[in-house]
Amino acid sequence: MRITVLTLFPEMIDSFLSVSIVHRAMERGLLQVDFVQIRDFARDRYKHVDDAPFGGGAGMIMKCQTVLDALDSVEDPGAYKILMSPAGHPYTQHKAHELSTKDHLVILCGHYEGLDERISHHMDEEISIGDYVLTGGETAAMIIIDSVSRLLKGSISDDSPLEESHENGLLEYPQYTRPADYQGDRVPEVLLSGDHARIREWRVAMALKRTKERRPDLYAAHTFTEEEKKVLRKLEMGKIRDVDWEEEE
């Protein structure tokens, strides 16, 4: 996969690419990331990329000419073009999977007060990473790169993402490691039992419980599997009462 980032600040993303799973994917030849410096396409002597908004208002707006010339410089008419925007569709794990199937993504990072609206007419999609405002789109672009690169086959072990939060519409169950008892705070006994069937049931139960408590929106929209329905009935009957998996006889 190739990802091209159109940005005024490539150095913000460059250091991010040198570590962790993204770096591993690039080393293995699974991912190529390159940059287009938008300012290189400014036509005036001072390299201005923005101007005051028509109609007045605070801040400056990135200009059509500069951004679209930068976009036109990408030599791949078939690339899927994304604008990072607070007005875009909310980013989800489902969308990450969809983007990971593309051969070439072009990610446009805005700055200042925003971009000339006519720029959006040249993009395939606008994506928002949340209901808040960032200084620029580079942080959002890094989130896209990170979430997509880890889904590329070979970047991590095939079974690693299967039960992570949002992969199946639920939050992930609690995880623990050694020691089993840390200052009196013990790991749930079921995880030490060696009974894989009980462990599986506990994990499903805790994923359901955690999602209902912390993300009721996800819980309400979730389509329950037969296994989850069975575990949910046990939860509701009190047969799986809490994090310690105290099952009634």
Side-chain angles (χ1 to χ4, degrees):
M1 165 179 263
R2 178 186 172 196
I3 299 178
T4 301
V5 184
L6 277 62
T7 173
L8 293 170
F9 301 99
E11 61 275 14
M12 288 182 64
I13 302 176
D14 197 39
S15 60
F16 160 75
L17 301 176
S18 65
V19 295
S20 194
I21 291 171
V22 175
H23 180 65
R24 186 189 311 160
M26 294 176 68
E27 281 192 323
R28 293 177 178 177
L30 304 173
L31 176 68
Q32 173 190 342
V33 181
D34 49 59
F35 302 98
V36 173
Q37 170 55 267
I38 298 172
R39 197 176 298 278
D40 290 344
F41 297 85
R43 295 178 184 175
D44 69 289
R45 61 185 294 189
Y46 298 108
K47 295 291 186 180
H48 288 137
V49 298
D50 59 341
D51 208 337
F54 283 125
M60 303 289 279
I61 306 298
M62 292 182 71
K63 298 192 293 185
C64 270
Q65 171 270 310
T66 314
V67 174
L68 293 180
D69 282 358
L71 185 63
D72 288 343
S73 75
V74 179
E75 297 179 354
D76 182 3
Y80 193 76
K81 300 178 288 294
I82 299 168
L83 170 61
M84 304 311 304
S85 166
H89 296 107
Y91 191 55
T92 63
Q93 187 66 12
H94 177 77
K95 176 58 66 174
H97 277 281
E98 181 183 321
L99 295 182
S100 72
T101 66
K102 307 292 185 183
D103 293 326
H104 187 189
L105 299 177
V106 174
I107 305 176
L108 172 56
C109 303
H111 256 275
Y112 310 116
E113 190 64 23
L115 295 92
D116 188 303
E117 181 65 21
R118 290 167 290 185
I119 294 169
S120 66
H121 303 162
H122 299 261
M123 309 305 293
D124 293 306
E125 185 171 6
E126 294 186 38
I127 292 178
S128 169
I129 61 164
D131 296 337
Y132 44 85
V133 179
L134 299 171
T135 302
E138 285 77 16
T139 307
M142 285 187 274
I143 289 173
I144 300 291
I145 295 169
D146 187 294
S147 58
V148 168
S149 64
R150 66 195 313 280
L151 295 175
L152 301 177
K153 187 172 180 60
S155 62
I156 58 177
S157 61
D158 291 343
D159 58 347
S160 288
L162 295 181
E163 294 185 347
E164 293 178 332
S165 292
H166 304 293
E167 276 293 339
N168 62 355
L170 299 172
L171 301 183
E172 189 176 13
Y173 48 78
Q175 297 271 33
Y176 302 86
T177 189
R178 294 181 179 86
D181 187 330
Y182 183 71
Q183 298 181 349
D185 194 353
R186 287 190 53 80
V187 170
E189 291 297 330
V190 63
L191 298 179
L192 310 176
S193 68
D195 187 330
H196 296 293
R198 288 183 65 208
I199 291 171
R200 168 67 185 176
E201 187 172 44
W202 179 87
R203 286 176 169 170
V204 172
M206 292 306 106
L208 290 165
K209 184 173 184 287
R210 174 173 282 188
T211 305
K212 186 176 183 179
E213 292 173 351
R214 301 186 183 183
R215 291 293 305 274
D217 57 322
L218 292 179
Y219 189 84
H222 185 62
T223 301
F224 296 94
T225 66
E226 289 304 314
E227 179 188 29
E228 289 166 348
K229 290 176 182 177
K230 180 179 178 181
V231 171
L232 188 58
R233 285 193 292 269
K234 296 187 74 171
L235 273 171
E236 292 172 344
M237 294 169 63
K239 292 186 175 181
I240 305 175
R241 289 198 292 262
D242 56 29
V243 76
D244 291 324
W245 208 93
E246 296 175 4
E247 185 170 6
E248 292 182 348
E249 298 296 333

